[in-house]
Amino acid sequence: ADTGTGDSTYVLTNYELEVTDNQASFPETDLLEKDDADVTHTTGAKTLDVVYNARIRASNSVGPSPWSNVHGVVSQLMLKFPSASLTFTAAFTSQADGLITSLVSWSKPTETGLGDATRALSAYNFLVTPAATNNAQGTACAVTIADVTEAPLTLQKSVDFVKGCTYALKVRAQNTVGYGDYAQESYVALGVPGAPTGLTLALSGETLVVSWTRPADTGTGD
């Protein structure tokens, strides 16, 4: 506001900008040959997750001004949200009382924030939502999971599904910027079939004829 004459009309000769990751001292100085209308400057690439501090002063033909107040910022400008390139598998483990227990697994995103998979993740958000209210037998499919897995991170979740129901499985990863997009897969809660019934054996000449009836439950409850 005051460039030397009590207002902002006098011509400045330059700015001195100091940037450091150590608040106690400012070893890095940029001498900016700029006029008094140009008040922005872009520095070179900095290390991620470091607190950088800066101060600046202006000069005219008389000399430099006092230093400005110190301003700090955490360098996260290069960090992006994780990608959603996760793959799902759901492996049957057991069944009992109309429930199918499956182990749902997913892979780590190919990009975790820096264009590759090197950035640390902080959580996964895993959701299970039924596609319909009931299965074909009229049993409610009400299994809904909203689970945030904090460190140490796991890449799997054991889930009890209602047999014969279809579910949307969704997962997204989180880093220090936030959550990425969901990856989604459809899953049908399929169990083992019921036992065949009506087994009969009969001889027809020298031929043994074996007959049976198809199971009433082929894996989905019917």
Side-chain angles (χ1 to χ4, degrees):
D2 180 2
T3 58
T5 59
D7 55 26
S8 59
T9 61
Y10 195 72
V11 176
L12 298 175
T13 56
N14 60 59
Y15 291 97
E16 290 177 85
L17 174 66
E18 292 187 335
V19 179
T20 181
D21 58 4
N22 179 3
Q23 201 168 17
S25 62
F26 288 86
E28 180 184 336
T29 301
D30 287 335
L31 181 63
L32 311 178
E33 301 293 340
K34 296 174 179 285
D35 61 31
D36 57 348
D38 193 344
V39 293
T40 61
H41 176 65
T42 302
T43 64
K46 300 299 180 184
T47 305
L48 193 67
D49 281 348
V50 171
V51 178
Y52 286 98
N53 297 282
R55 64 180 183 176
I56 195 168
R57 65 181 178 180
S59 295
N60 61 16
S61 58
V62 177
S65 71
W67 287 103
S68 70
N69 292 333
V70 174
H71 181 72
V73 64
V74 179
S75 58
Q76 292 188 341
L77 299 180
M78 297 181 292
L79 191 63
K80 302 180 295 182
F81 294 102
S83 68
S85 54
L86 301 122
T87 57
F88 283 98
T89 60
F92 169 87
T93 55
S94 64
Q95 69 179 52
D97 300 325
L99 294 179
I100 304 298
T101 301
S102 295
L103 186 63
V104 181
S105 303
W106 56 89
S107 65
K108 184 178 180 180
T110 56
E111 294 187 12
T112 57
L114 290 174
D116 55 30
T118 61
R119 179 68 184 167
L121 296 173
S122 54
Y124 287 105
N125 183 211
F126 176 59
L127 302 177
V128 177
T129 305
T133 303
N134 301 314
N135 63 11
Q137 292 72 47
T139 304
C141 297
V143 174
T144 302
I145 295 177
D147 179 66
V148 177
T149 304
E150 303 294 348
L153 296 178
T154 61
L155 295 171
Q156 58 185 24
K157 182 77 174 177
S158 182
V159 181
D160 289 333
F161 299 97
V162 176
K163 191 174 186 179
C165 292
T166 300
Y167 295 90
L169 310 180
K170 300 171 68 176
V171 67
R172 60 182 180 173
Q174 182 188 45
N175 61 18
T176 54
V177 173
Y179 279 107
D181 294 331
Y182 278 110
Q184 181 170 326
E185 290 287 340
S186 179
Y187 175 68
V188 178
L190 180 66
V192 298
T197 60
L199 179 64
T200 61
L201 301 177
L203 284 173
S204 177
E206 296 181 353
T207 302
L208 178 64
V209 179
V210 182
S211 302
W212 62 89
T213 301
R214 177 186 173 92
D217 180 2
T218 57
T220 61
D222 56 12

